[in-house]
Amino acid sequence: VYKRHSYNYLDKYLAELNFRSDASSKFGPGNQRGYFPSISLGWRMSSENFMADAEKVDDLKLRFSWGQTGSTNINDFVYRQFYEKGNPYIGQSTLTPGLLPNPDIKWEETAMTNVGIDFMALRNRLTLTADWYVKNTKDILLNVPIPISTGGANDPIRNAGKIRNQGFEFNLGWNESLNKDLSY
């Protein structure tokens, strides 16, 4: 399921809402469906009356966005127990547990927040984009080592990790046309 709603008023006030719902057979009953909303907002300040005297400013926009995504980066059916044929031992074949099952395995989720500004001036020759972001990932799908004394089963997949990334990004540019054949 995917839904999107956009709003644009006078190309000044911008909004978009998204909602995605996915299901995956990689997860056990009760954990197959994931829900992932997002929102983005924009305000083009350069279109406001109080910016009318700022003749050198071509565009000035503030942006905000927040959203969630999900990952299923694992093999199929890790929530079920499977057995593998072992090596022959004294003329007999054995069955050994494969990957230990995890009926609680669920979606890995990432939430990201971004606040930014876009600025253009001097007939679009000077450009600046600046962003601050935070990205939080939880329930990271990992192989978690277990003691060999468990009977030789492979390490199970678990939602065992989390990570946070944050930072600033800046892009400053200058565009100039010297003549119709040469620009930089």
Side-chain angles (χ1 to χ4, degrees):
V1 175
Y2 182 77
K3 301 271 184 190
R4 175 190 286 186
H5 297 285
S6 297
Y7 177 77
N8 181 340
Y9 182 71
L10 300 175
D11 203 30
K12 261 196 263 194
Y13 310 107
L14 312 164
E16 185 169 287
L17 297 170
N18 293 290
F19 180 78
R20 191 180 104 220
S21 175
D22 285 332
S24 175
S25 62
K26 293 185 176 199
F27 306 116
N31 292 324
Q32 290 182 337
R33 187 154 294 281
Y35 302 97
F36 309 107
S38 67
I39 184 171
S40 63
L41 303 170
W43 176 30
R44 183 159 279 120
M45 294 173 51
S46 56
S47 296
E48 296 288 352
N49 291 337
F50 64 81
M51 294 288 294
D53 293 335
E55 297 172 3
K56 305 255 187 228
V57 176
D58 300 311
D59 191 25
L60 178 60
K61 182 168 84 170
L62 296 178
R63 297 177 280 106
F64 167 82
S65 63
W66 174 87
Q68 289 183 320
T69 60
S71 176
T72 62
N73 193 19
I74 57 173
N75 291 329
D76 295 333
F77 306 112
V78 298
Y79 64 93
R80 294 188 153 203
Q81 178 68 67
F82 290 100
Y83 291 88
E84 300 171 348
K85 183 178 177 184
N87 292 327
Y89 179 73
I90 309 178
Q92 298 178 8
S93 293
T94 60
L95 290 177
T96 60
L99 187 70
L100 286 177
N102 181 354
D104 298 322
I105 196 86
K106 60 184 178 180
W107 287 81
E108 176 179 308
E109 293 183 2
T110 299
M112 186 157 179
T113 303
N114 188 86
V115 178
I117 187 168
D118 298 322
F119 175 76
M120 296 174 72
L122 305 173
R123 293 189 306 254
N124 296 330
R125 289 183 292 176
L126 175 64
T127 60
L128 169 69
T129 301
D131 288 280
W132 171 79
Y133 66 91
V134 176
K135 180 179 177 184
N136 291 308
T137 303
K138 68 177 186 172
D139 297 324
I140 296 175
L141 298 163
L142 298 170
N143 285 78
V144 178
I146 58 171
I148 193 74
S149 61
T150 60
N154 294 322
D155 297 336
I157 303 283
R158 293 191 183 150
N159 296 99
K162 64 181 179 177
I163 192 168
R164 178 183 177 99
N165 297 308
Q166 64 183 20
F168 293 94
E169 293 182 0
F170 298 96
N171 185 6
L172 182 63
W174 181 265
N175 301 306
E176 185 75 37
S177 291
L178 299 176
N179 59 45
K180 67 177 187 158
D181 297 324
L182 182 61
S183 63
Y184 66 91

